Amino acid sequence: MKFLITGATGYIGQRLLCNALAAGHAVVALSRSVPRCFDVDWLHFDFDQDGDIDLPPDVATVIHLAAHTQGGVSDPAGEMRGAQRVIRAARRAGAQLVFVSSQAAREDAPTDYGRTKWRIEQEMLSAQGVVVRPGLVYGGPERALFGVLVSAVRSVPVIPAFLPAPRVQPIHVDDLAEVLLTIVRDGISGPRVFCVGAPSPILFSDFLRSVAMDRLRVRRWPVPIPVVAVRMAARYLGWELGSRLGLVRLTSLFDLPVMQTQADLDGIGVELRDLSSGMARSGNGARRTLIREGVALLAYIMRTSPAPILVRRYARGIEAIRGGRPLGLSRILLAVPPLLALLESPGAAAGHSPGKAGELAMRLHIAVALAESSPQGAQRFLGLGAASGAARSLVRLGWAAVCEAAWRVLHAIVAPALRRAGWR
Amino acid sequence: MTENSYDVIIVGSGPAGVSAAFPLLDAGLRVLLLDGGREPRLLPPAGPLLEWRAGDAQQWRTMVGSSYYALRKLDAVSPKLRSPTHEYVFVDFESENRVRGEEFVAVGSLARGGLSNAWGGGVACLSELELARLPFSAEEIMPSYAAVARRIGISGAQDDDLSDYFGLDAWAGQPPAMGAVQSRLLYNYAARRNAMTSAGFRIGRSRAAVLTARHDEREACDSTGNCLWGCRRRALYSAVEDLAVLRRHPGFSYRPGFVVREIGGDHLCRTVAGDSAGGLFRFQASRILLAAGTLASTRLALRALGGPREAPLQSCPTAVCVLWAPRFLGRQHENEFGFGQLSFTLALSGGTTGYGSLFCTTGIPVSEFVRHVPMRSRYGIDVLKALLSSCVIGNLFLPGNFTRATVRLDADGTLEVRGDYATELPALMSEARAALRRNFRRLGAVMLPGSFTIGHPGSDIHYTGSLPMRYAPKPGETTPEGELRDVEGVHVVDGAVLDVLTEKPHTMTIMANADRIARKVAQKFRGVSAE
């Protein structure tokens, strides 16, 4: 089954094209220039042209990604006309329509950008199209808004902590591509709107911090900046310069409606990678996250920092036998491993309990087995070379019992929060 | 006769297969032995356990495995089945031999030497009373017990309360050195002996197929404590040792890497067909001896009988527990023999006897315990670090008739094994737990609360009795010579023909019976040539 992508050379378009070809789809690319991505049928498409687009007869789906930008300046009217041409062409060919819109799309959006997206959405929906509203798209090549943000963090020694703090719902560009490919593959028809992005919004400044830490591996301190100042700057600089500097897109982030994405993601059946994994240059920072996870779990078990080789064995092991997805431990847990005692529930037998608690039990068992099988572990587990004796052992037993009891009490106190976070 | 023709073909090189080969070769017969041929790819550790644990940076390759074998096999029934050094013993058995366990642990081997490569080495003879339930006289099998015991090398002879129970001290060497905790238990037992024996509890040294004196190329046990992963000194018996001897015999041919698919032919000439690296092969012989292990042999036999069929299966219910000797709290771990040092018998209601052995904890990974301690792993490890050196592990076996299992040959040729414990088992296990707790407390050891764990059905891997020997066999049964009724010339010589599965270690009896049947088969050949 063939499908057609408009804007195939854009940030999302290029990744979608590559992933679609890799998945064995037949794709026609519609763009101004020839896509750089291997062997693909190409049709010329330009917003500034008029007249009908002739689709190849066997195109079953049209994914509309193209946005009219010229030198960074958007042109709402041109974009609208282009979208209408695509809709007409798809209708004539009897093809399913999928439109990639924006979280900012609203009838009363404060920016032209958001209002244009909303108007196109309406046309798409009335043509039985599917609308996908992604949150903040990130990862992969440094292009589009993501590219602006990365280069900003790279060149400025601080990261702005906007006040009031805006929240974003990031989605990795490859996860978005997977969403789109799933919609095509399953033949989901409209009119329907899918909201996709991290189910719980995160602070925009945390997003930027992840750009610094996980992508660029630099340290950046947050500096508070009132949103009002950015708005005023955008107004003062005017539409054109503001667009070019990315201020227009930036201001569109400031009053994003929160999207309920979990149900839509579940419905499509796509699970988003976590931010720190996606932010890595490879698009899969899972290994680095696993390394951090391994350090925490091994330190929790061994009561000392684990040898690097053990941590690598842990990460490789999780990749080899647990699918390689990080547990998603919070920064606090990664920094203070003894706190893992709050999450561990001894009732969850390794490999036999469902959910995050069961997976944690399994990974702790893996960490225990790997930790033990090392000279460092022989000391920790067998007490080799250490002083022993009945009195010392009694104290050790008593202390372990006291600690266990204390954590049980704490565990019970925070149980509701753990349940909410899926740890019980 | 063609090149592919022999007097006898033996299928399987485990303890039964090699035991059957010796009498046949001694009678001058031409024997072909076929097996799955899987060989070890990872050697057991060389030095004393605690030394390599303290210093060897690569020990994880042995303990976990560089492809994380031990962690992939978390559901396996015992640490031995998770050992990366034993991966080759169990690998591919179920798929190649088309055996499937349903709620039942179904294990077998395609390895050279079969399951004996992962054997704990427990040995015993059946008593006269027990032998009376089998369709041959005790006099007939005793020479076979003796021959097998001398050949494989056993130890543990001691004038103690289990001497008669094991019944093989005449052929056994000294027991291996005993660790401090178990020595103390035995010492305390001696002081309370009368009270304890009258309460139905007896303790003695374990009898095992481990050398305590040099035996040809094999060295004696030096308590390096690596038993769980295998013995570099070859002190622990494996059928591979006998296979090496057999291969020096001129009448012996060996074809490894051959998985038998089918038994064919007629009573004049039998054939086996199967896969080898080079494709499909067929061999002929006057007689076929099936020694592929109870499950695989049963499948081949049921297929030879034609059509879907059911058969019963026995297997010993098992349990384990942790016994703590407080007097040794804070003791340093020491290298000790890793398998049973002491064994015990326990009289239970209804005339049932329970049997078990005690194991040193040093040679078992602590991670095996951590996941069963009802504490957070960080503190569970603290507890085990303080406690394990003063603990021993006890296991318990009950007679096979307390498992109700069946094997069934499906229409597609798969052998399905299913079964459960008998309804009276939970009560019997509770009784055994209470009796063990009581008796070991008297000896100065506390059963750790919650540590008594009953194994899954089949986890003992003592499968027997699917093709029982009878004086007058019915269809699906075998003659006293193990010959399958209605399939003349095909004998079953492994556990499948034994329908007496006591709580005792049964491997010696399988081997002795294979030896006994092979002597009978050799006689038949002599009879033919005399005519």
Side-chain angles (χ1 to χ4, degrees), chain B residues 41-294:
Chain B
R41 280 179 297 179
L42 183 65
L43 287 175
L49 172 80
L50 292 174
E51 266 174 40
W52 69 266
R53 290 297 314 279
D56 183 357
Q58 293 301 315
Q59 59 185 282
W60 81 295
R61 292 180 193 278
T62 305
M63 294 186 56
V64 179
S66 42
S67 61
Y68 302 91
Y69 179 74
L71 295 168
R72 290 176 201 268
K73 289 281 171 184
L74 269 188
D75 285 336
V77 291
S78 87
K80 237 178 346 187
L81 273 70
R82 275 186 281 279
S83 162
T85 53
H86 290 151
E87 179 177 0
Y88 77 102
V89 180
F90 306 100
V91 72
D92 294 339
F93 171 81
E94 284 163 273
S95 57
E96 289 277 329
N97 271 316
R98 306 186 66 180
V99 170
R100 189 176 66 231
E102 293 283 340
E103 306 284 309
F104 194 91
V105 180
V107 173
S109 179
L110 292 174
R112 197 182 55 169
L115 287 174
S116 70
N117 291 296
W119 185 27
V123 291
C125 290
L126 291 184
S127 68
E128 285 199 23
L129 211 62
E130 289 157 346
L131 285 171
R133 288 154 60 195
L134 290 165
F136 49 78
S137 67
E139 293 75 48
E140 200 181 308
I141 197 170
M142 286 327 275
S144 295
Y145 269 128
V148 169
R150 289 204 187 93
R151 197 180 75 230
I152 70 176
I154 60 174
S155 65
Q158 192 86 350
D159 182 17
D160 61 22
D161 283 346
L162 295 185
S163 194
D164 291 339
Y165 181 77
F166 288 114
L168 35 65
D169 281 359
W171 314 300
Q174 294 284 312
M178 192 160 38
V181 180
Q182 301 197 46
S183 297
R184 185 74 204 182
L185 295 178
L186 190 60
Y187 175 85
N188 289 347
Y189 172 77
R192 296 161 183 75
R193 188 174 162 272
N194 286 336
M196 301 205 72
T197 50
S198 57
F201 185 79
R202 288 164 189 273
I203 275 199
R205 292 304 309 260
S206 303
R207 272 65 169 178
V210 57
L211 296 181
T212 50
R214 205 184 164 87
H215 192 80
D216 298 327
E217 292 163 24
R218 298 168 55 204
E219 290 179 88
C221 170
D222 65 349
S223 301
T224 41
N226 301 323
C227 306
L228 180 72
W229 296 279
C231 186
R232 268 278 181 99
R233 302 170 64 85
R234 295 158 63 191
L236 296 169
Y237 171 79
S238 144
V240 172
E241 301 295 347
D242 281 333
L243 188 59
V245 176
L246 289 170
R247 290 179 75 178
R248 292 199 283 267
H249 205 292
F252 184 79
S253 305
Y254 175 49
R255 181 77 188 239
F258 190 97
V259 179
V260 175
R261 301 285 169 220
E262 217 154 17
I263 308 288
D266 53 31
H267 67 283
L268 293 173
C269 177
R270 286 285 164 195
T271 60
V272 298
D275 304 334
S276 187
L280 192 74
F281 284 84
R282 200 176 289 276
F283 294 102
Q284 310 184 354
S286 306
R287 288 179 185 271
I288 312 278
L289 267 53
L290 292 180
T294 296

Side-chain angles (χ1 to χ4, degrees), chain A residues 298-375:
Chain A
L298 287 161
Y300 169 66
I301 281 160
M302 301 175 84
R303 291 180 172 275
T304 174
S305 21
I309 182 82
L310 279 183
V311 180
R312 282 203 296 281
R313 263 174 220 158
Y314 174 85
R316 276 209 309 276
I318 298 301
E319 285 164 359
I321 57 180
R322 303 304 300 169
R325 219 172 238 282
L327 273 172
L329 297 176
S330 69
R331 276 210 305 277
I332 300 170
L333 288 168
L334 292 173
V336 192
L339 288 179
L340 281 165
L342 261 187
L343 296 190
E344 188 184 1
S345 32
H352 294 284
S353 303
K356 273 159 92 177
E359 187 58 28
L360 176 67
M362 184 71 198
R363 290 185 187 205
L364 281 170
H365 178 76
I366 291 170
V368 166
L370 291 171
E372 183 185 11
S373 311
S374 66

Side-chain angles (χ1 to χ4, degrees), chain B residues 290-306:
Chain B
L290 292 180
T294 296
L295 298 180
S297 289
T298 302
R299 180 172 168 274
L300 289 174
L302 292 184
R303 276 174 68 88
L305 287 166

